[in-house]
Amino acid sequence: MPVDMGELLADLAAETAAIRELVAGLDRRDWRAATPAAGWTIADQISHLAFFDDAAVMSATDAGRFAAELGTPAETGQLSTDEIASRYRALTGPELLAWFDESRQLVIDVFSRIDALRRVPWFGPPMSAASAVTARIMETWAHGQDIADALGIARSPTRRLRHVAHIGISALPFSFVVNGLAVPEEPIRVELGSPDSEPWTWGPATAGNRVTGPALDFCLLVTQRRHRSDTAVKAEGQVADQWLDIAQAFAGPPGPGRQPEQYGQHT
């Protein structure tokens, strides 16, 4: 089934509106509030998104510059997310939001003119333009979760979670590789309950390894915003069980994730 870039970009715009709603009315003190990401404030979450939106635009418009300025430094350890966050801490909340707005609109404009199957470089393996947009949706939702947790706000899940779940499942091989493990050959069946109770499925129905649970819990798990033990995601089979311990939907080294019972039961 062909990927509809228009629909993908519309969902990115909707996820963008959701995170803007969280931060647009914050005062100076709230912008500097700590989030669950160690050492990161709400301001850092927004600068992170804006920086990597700019990186996505560069990857799509100037692959050589992307490789030289971002890809190679990331590979050699000269560029880290903590280092990036530290660069922009002098900016005010309104300045960060203006940067994010401009960069996100550029992403939407640039990727609206790109074939969905065109390969673009990224931090790790190259990906299709459609996957790059899906990654921006996932990142926006995940960092929005950090902001919502910092503010004590419970967000309602939407059907856009399917994008987050999909990229989390697609990143299964990377999750093993980045942890120094062999990529399993056995297929995994994933069955998730969507926010409107429609079943979402991936993988062969006959697979011996299975993952089941609510889509929200699975997305919180693969973005490492909740510890596995605090979700209702279940694994059947050794490979599926191992995957859930290391799953990550994002590029880069394995993250520290969250501690058990850090939030109690999510809402």
Side-chain angles (χ1 to χ4, degrees), residues 26 56 59 170 233:
L26 296 183
S59 77
S170 300
V233 180

Side-chain angles (χ1 to χ4, degrees), residues 55-229:
V57 169
M58 190 190 300
S59 77
T61 60
D62 194 337
R65 181 183 169 201
F66 176 89
E69 294 186 11
L70 299 176
T72 299
E75 291 172 3
T76 59
Q78 297 173 305
L79 184 71
S80 71
T81 54
D82 286 338
E83 189 273 329
I84 292 165
S86 70
R87 293 182 190 179
Y88 304 104
R89 287 185 174 141
L91 297 180
T92 67
E95 287 171 336
L96 289 167
L97 189 54
W99 175 24
F100 174 60
D101 285 343
E102 181 179 1
S103 297
R104 181 53 55 90
Q105 190 58 53
L106 272 174
V107 169
I108 292 171
D109 292 346
V110 166
F111 279 85
S112 70
R113 301 190 295 269
I114 296 177
D115 184 276
L117 298 180
R118 178 182 147 192
R119 307 295 288 181
V120 295
W122 198 238
F123 302 93
M127 63 176 75
S128 69
S131 292
V133 174
T134 305
R136 301 320 302 143
I137 295 173
M138 178 275 294
E139 283 262 316
T140 307
W141 181 83
H143 290 283
Q145 186 63 47
D146 289 334
I147 293 169
D149 287 335
L151 297 172
I153 295 173
R155 302 189 298 172
S156 297
T158 73
R159 289 185 59 81
R160 296 190 297 276
L161 286 177
R162 186 178 182 95
H163 301 303
V164 182
H166 181 76
I167 204 163
I169 293 164
S170 300
L172 182 152
F174 179 74
S175 297
F176 279 83
V177 169
V178 78
N179 281 278
L181 300 170
V183 177
E185 297 182 1
E186 298 91 331
I188 297 179
R189 171 76 166 182
V190 179
E191 299 177 352
L192 305 176
S194 72
D196 57 8
S197 300
E198 174 190 347
W200 292 343
T201 63
W202 292 261
T206 57
N209 283 273
R210 307 175 74 84
V211 169
T212 58
L216 173 59
D217 287 38
F218 180 80
C219 291
L220 289 166
L221 177 59
V222 297
T223 58
Q224 297 188 2
R225 264 55 188 184
R226 292 293 184 272
H227 190 273
R228 178 182 176 182
S229 64

